Amino acid sequence: MRFRHPDGSVVHLAYCTNVHPAETLDGVLAQLRDHCEPVRRRLGRDRLGIGLWLARDAAHALVTDPSALRGLRAELDRRGLEVVTLNGFPYEGFGAEEVKYRVYKPDWADPERLEHTTSLARVLAGLLPDDVTEGSVSTLPLAWRTAYDDARAEKARAALVTLAERLDALQELTGRSIRVGLEPEPGCVVETTRDAIAPLTAIGHDRIGICVDTCHLATSFEDPHTALDALTAAQVPIVKSQLSAALHAEHPRLPEVRDALAAFAEPRFLHQTRTTEPGRLHGTDDLDQALNGTALPDTSPWRAHFHVPLHAAPAAPLTSTLDVLQATLTRLVGGPHPLTRHLEVETYTWQALPPELRPRVRAQLTDGIAAELTLARELLTDLGLKELP
């Protein structure tokens, strides 16, 4: 979906396909047929933006076989879909029964992360619509925080410098500008937008910037205006933003609140949980650790890294951080010029929701994704952007 900003530029809105992960190119083609095109039809749109997640095997197949890349581009066109952004965070296995810490491997100290991201950039340059010259790729925020020392930090910095040089060369070859954004996430080396400033300014290249995920921002209790002002002051490019909402518990000490939270503790994904005390952020790596121990103070609100559907906040006594998303979006695209032109709804946890909230058939998932995009569209038009055909 495309929107005209009051300054005349085009802002793109997509939804991320990691919600129905596929490891192979055949799987990607099937998800276009089974999920993406039905969402477009449900919205009544001639064209729908999707943020593709391409696992290692699918990306390798596309970058080594030009005919396969042309075939994917043709399939996107045939189904009324377009791609201007890729989710390059998960490497493989995102549909596994247990993902947890595996999603952070390989990290940016591992040469395979550089090679995979380079492949994604090359693929994206071949998938961009004819009238679009800029693409974006989101990636993990350097590494998970443990076992990350100065030597690994230098390897990661050198890899990102090399990536920037490759992206320069890619533009010279194709005329397409691809940028990559580190996506701060709780528990990682770069947990907050503030943490991103030093490593990104050390790289000092506008091809490498940040992806602002509004669920992660909220989970770490970052104020959107403070965070975005700091990025702007440091001249850190905001490559893209993922529109998502975290799980919020106002009174975690109450037994009924803890019971409600327990329904969201599940074995597939990490749900890092955070709370604040004056001047300090406390956290656990997962929601069950917060519920079953004493590591997390319970006198202040808790937020958990659980991407809840944008249009459907959990039932009381829980809620979501949709207000943080709205404040961030206002700052990103509500001003005289957009701070980013790539927006992506990223609720990948539909099948990890408590059983009574999960879609039971494909049509229910289609309805849910369409409802999320409808809400995002309304937020954008309320900010003065005009939807384009």
Side-chain angles (χ1 to χ4, degrees):
M1 301 167 75
R2 300 186 185 192
F3 297 81
R4 181 76 65 188
H5 190 273
D7 76 347
S9 63
V10 174
V11 173
H12 294 265
L13 173 66
Y15 92 88
C16 187
T17 64
N18 62 357
V19 61
H20 15 253
E23 297 290 320
T24 66
L25 180 55
D26 284 345
V28 171
L29 294 172
Q31 75 183 198
L32 301 184
R33 178 194 67 226
D34 296 340
H35 299 288
C36 302
E37 185 178 9
V39 170
R40 178 184 66 76
R41 292 185 181 278
R42 191 64 48 88
L43 289 166
R45 302 290 302 166
D46 293 332
R47 173 173 55 188
L48 177 68
I50 58 171
L52 273 182
W53 173 62
L54 297 173
R56 177 196 61 179
D57 290 348
H60 180 74
L62 291 166
V63 83
T64 57
D65 184 353
S67 66
L69 184 58
R70 290 192 298 271
L72 176 57
R73 171 68 186 275
E75 189 71 359
L76 289 165
D77 291 343
R78 188 169 76 85
R79 298 193 180 279
L81 306 169
E82 67 178 15
V83 174
V84 303
T85 189
L86 300 180
N87 186 329
F89 196 138
Y91 178 70
E92 62 183 351
F94 201 60
E97 290 185 6
E98 182 177 329
V99 178
K100 299 289 185 181
Y101 295 94
R102 292 171 51 190
V103 76
Y104 306 107
K105 294 293 184 178
D107 63 34
W108 273 101
D110 185 329
E112 183 52 38
R113 176 59 65 171
L114 170 62
E115 298 311 314
H116 177 60
T117 309
T118 301
S119 294
L120 292 177
R122 292 171 177 164
V123 169
L124 182 55
L127 293 180
L128 289 177
D130 291 340
D131 60 345
V132 175
T133 59
E134 295 182 357
S136 61
V137 180
S138 48
T139 188
L140 84 162
L142 299 182
W144 186 251
R145 68 183 186 280
T146 56
Y148 191 78
D149 55 18
D150 290 345
R152 293 186 68 78
E154 177 53 30
K155 288 180 180 178
R157 188 200 67 81
L160 287 165
V161 169
T162 298
L163 176 65
E165 293 168 349
R166 291 180 179 180
L167 296 177
D168 282 342
L170 183 63
Q171 182 169 14
E172 290 183 11
L173 180 66
T174 66
R176 304 295 179 86
S177 174
I178 308 298
R179 297 190 298 167
V180 172
L182 303 185
E183 181 185 330
E185 177 165 312
C188 292
V189 172
V190 174
E191 170 155 343
T192 65
T193 57
R194 181 178 59 254
D195 296 334
I197 291 174
L200 288 173
T201 52
I203 294 166
H205 199 299
D206 63 4
R207 300 270 185 208
I208 312 297
I210 193 169
C211 168
V212 176
D213 184 299
T214 58
C215 171
H216 303 171
L217 189 84
T219 301
S220 294
F221 286 86
E222 289 197 79
D223 174 72
H225 298 286
T226 301
L228 297 177
D229 285 348
L231 293 174
T232 301
Q235 298 183 317
V236 171
I238 302 174
V239 171
K240 65 185 281 190
S241 180
Q242 289 173 328
L243 307 183
S244 53
L247 190 63
H248 180 95
E250 187 68 20
H251 302 291
R253 177 167 287 186
L254 298 177
E256 61 268 28
V257 175
R258 298 178 82 90
D259 288 345
L261 282 170
F264 287 84
E266 52 85 33
R268 186 171 176 186
F269 300 113
L270 276 186
H271 300 296
Q272 302 93 316
T273 305
R274 298 289 186 266
T275 190
T276 58
E277 290 181 335
R280 186 176 179 189
L281 185 68
H282 299 271
T284 60
D285 284 354
D286 217 342
L287 179 56
D288 57 357
Q289 296 170 7
L291 292 168
N292 298 331
T294 59
L296 207 60
D298 60 4
T299 55
S300 298
W302 286 5
R303 289 178 178 172
H305 172 216
F306 195 117
H307 290 224
V308 295
L310 302 188
H311 67 292
L318 303 179
T319 187
S320 79
T321 59
L322 182 62
D323 58 331
V324 176
L325 184 159
Q326 291 173 298
T328 306
L329 193 61
T330 298
R331 184 71 175 82
L332 285 172
V333 300
H337 304 287
L339 300 182
T340 185
R341 290 188 293 274
H342 290 178
L343 306 172
E344 179 183 60
V345 172
E346 197 214 11
T347 305
Y348 58 84
T349 44
W350 279 94
Q351 298 301 340
L353 290 166
E356 67 275 13
L357 301 179
R358 294 175 195 170
R360 290 181 172 80
V361 295
R362 189 180 295 168
Q364 290 177 327
L365 179 58
T366 298
D367 289 343
I369 294 170
E372 289 194 289
L373 286 167
T374 296
L375 184 147
R377 176 171 59 189
E378 291 170 353
L379 293 177
L380 290 172
T381 55
D382 286 348
L383 290 170
L385 284 74
K386 297 188 181 300
E387 188 174 3
L388 298 174

